[in-house]
Amino acid sequence: MKERTYEQFRRRPQSALLGVENAAPFSERVMRSASPRLASRTSQMELPSRGAFHSGYGETWAKAILVGEHSAVYGYPAVALPLHSMKMKAWATPNLVGRHQLRALGFTGPLDDSGDRFAGIRRAVSVAEEFVSPQRWSAFTLVTEADFPAERGLGSSAAAAGAVIRAVLDAYGVGATSQELFELTNRAEMVTHGHPSGLDSATTCSQNAVVLSGGRISHVSMKASGVLVIADSGICGSTREAVGNVHHQYETDRPRIEAILGELGTLGSQSVDDLQGGKMDDLGVHMNAAHILLAQLKVSEPTLDRLVNVARDAGALGAKLTGGGLGGCIVALAADQRHADVIMDELRQAGACGVWSHGLGALA
């Protein structure tokens, strides 16, 4: 199938939402369909400063933490990879309803009535509008589409917030720097995760691997090869719950938990060196060791452990859970696409609800 261009993606929701095959610019549609009085008022508006009159598009992608879940909360290094092949797309199309509307994950209706599940998107719209300025106004129909599931440790909340923010800013024709977009996304993430580290916000829009260490974000130049396989357990994970569980253990059994977190931190640093040096066999060993430690923190569970073992038995260099745990996904490192295909087949047969592959050479 022919891949759509960026502009085709931007035009698509405008035609879909307004019900025509070839959408004209939204301002022209308003002028033709509105009452004479509204059309007269609209024609006198200062469009650049008073509202958005074209559909905006934003795009981010999934992320996978390679090593460093939970230990990063305590200042140790964690490394995450952007998964550019697994997109999150968002459109913001001005409407005449007078209220923001949302179509996402099976929900269709007013954004204000979308419930706790979409609190991050509501906050994303709010911070984007604040950035644009109080003088601007529009009611949008917001649509999101994702190539990956939500609540699986793949950064869906940050990806959705970042894509929606970009779509709203694009609809207004307002530019933002990479740092500003990161800060806006992290502000939206506070609704979902309370005090986000910034790792998801940074990785879901990064071109390169991202390292979080001591609260600081940096990017990694990689010489990595191989293929990362991602498999969905079908179980919704809860980062907030998992982090809370680890913190409780930290408070009640600090010496043991500090030792585990320190070992995870060491594996995080070693994994960065592995990526930079292209040492994929070593990276696999470190991934395996990380999963054992995460299981000791009680953030794994039987389905994740089973899928990890299936991937290893199928020839993966290493495999582990990714994200907060208590469900979600695993990641497995394959030497090449041929080995990745074998691992993916075995994971499907073992009951994985979804399986994807992502070439690491694309990040080199």
Side-chain angles (χ1 to χ4, degrees):
M1 183 174 69
K2 185 176 180 181
E3 185 175 351
R4 290 189 178 94
T5 66
Y6 177 88
E7 287 300 322
Q8 285 172 323
F9 268 126
R10 287 187 53 183
R11 288 195 294 270
R12 177 186 172 204
Q14 189 163 311
S15 60
L17 293 174
L18 299 177
V20 293
E21 291 249 316
N22 298 304
F26 188 82
S27 57
E28 295 177 13
R29 185 68 46 73
V30 170
M31 297 300 291
R32 289 201 301 268
S33 62
S35 67
R37 181 179 178 185
L38 178 59
S40 175
R41 288 176 57 193
T42 304
S43 66
Q44 297 172 22
M45 291 171 62
E46 297 177 10
L47 299 184
S49 63
R50 295 294 300 278
F53 281 86
H54 69 275
S55 180
Y57 176 71
E59 181 178 289
T60 53
W61 35 80
K63 72 89 175 72
I65 297 179
L66 205 55
V67 176
E69 293 91 347
H70 293 287
S71 57
V73 176
Y74 298 84
Y76 295 104
V79 58
L81 302 180
L83 306 176
H84 299 137
S85 57
M86 300 167 67
K87 303 290 188 186
M88 174 72 74
K89 300 177 278 285
W91 296 268
T93 301
N95 66 50
L96 295 179
V97 177
R99 298 177 66 188
H100 293 313
Q101 305 292 307
L102 177 65
R103 284 178 21 203
L105 296 176
F107 174 84
T108 299
L111 179 63
D112 289 342
D113 299 336
S114 58
D116 292 343
R117 188 180 192 189
F118 299 102
I121 288 182
R122 290 197 299 273
R123 182 58 177 157
V125 174
S126 176
V127 299
E129 290 177 329
E130 291 171 8
F131 184 83
V132 168
S133 83
Q135 287 74 38
R136 296 176 183 260
W137 59 268
S138 278
F140 293 108
T141 296
L142 301 154
V143 179
T144 65
E145 291 182 5
D147 296 336
F148 56 99
E151 300 176 321
R152 298 296 198 277
L154 298 178
S156 63
S157 63
V164 166
I165 287 167
R166 286 163 173 78
V168 171
L169 296 187
D170 186 34
Y172 280 115
V174 173
T177 66
S178 297
Q179 181 62 28
E180 287 170 334
L181 289 167
F182 166 76
E183 291 172 356
L184 291 172
T185 303
N186 228 33
R187 285 173 58 193
E189 274 282 84
M190 290 178 183
V191 172
T192 306
H193 294 302
H195 300 283
S197 67
L199 185 61
D200 284 12
S201 298
T203 312
T204 53
C205 64
S206 177
Q207 296 299 322
N208 302 300
V210 173
V211 175
L212 171 68
S213 182
R216 298 176 64 87
I217 297 286
S218 60
H219 294 85
V220 179
S221 177
M222 294 170 45
K223 294 181 180 178
S225 60
V227 177
L228 195 69
V229 173
I230 305 98
D232 179 12
S233 70
I235 303 170
C236 292
S238 172
T239 298
R240 188 186 292 268
E241 180 182 353
V243 169
N245 289 350
V246 173
H247 181 70
H248 176 72
Q249 295 176 69
Y250 183 81
E251 292 295 319
T252 57
D253 191 7
R254 182 167 296 190
R256 184 179 72 87
I257 301 304
E258 281 186 336
I260 294 172
L261 295 173
E263 289 185 59
L264 282 168
T266 298
L267 292 173
S269 296
Q270 291 171 333
S271 297
V272 173
D273 292 339
D274 296 338
L275 289 172
Q276 291 176 321
K279 297 177 288 187
M280 295 297 98
D281 288 340
D282 290 345
L283 178 59
V285 170
H286 296 144
M287 290 172 64
N288 287 336
H291 184 78
I292 293 171
L293 293 170
L294 291 168
Q296 292 175 8
L297 289 177
K298 302 178 182 179
V299 296
S300 189
E301 56 83 51
T303 301
L304 293 175
D305 291 339
R306 181 170 57 82
L307 292 177
V308 164
N309 289 330
V310 168
R312 291 174 183 167
D313 291 343
L317 301 177
K320 59 180 287 294
L321 67 82
T322 186
L326 302 180
C329 291
I330 71 153
V331 289
L333 182 63
D336 52 38
Q337 189 61 55
R338 182 175 65 84
H339 288 98
D341 290 340
V342 172
I343 295 167
M344 293 169 71
D345 286 343
E346 291 295 324
L347 287 167
R348 290 190 188 98
Q349 292 180 32
C353 294
V355 183
W356 305 265
S357 67
H358 185 81
L360 297 184
L363 296 176

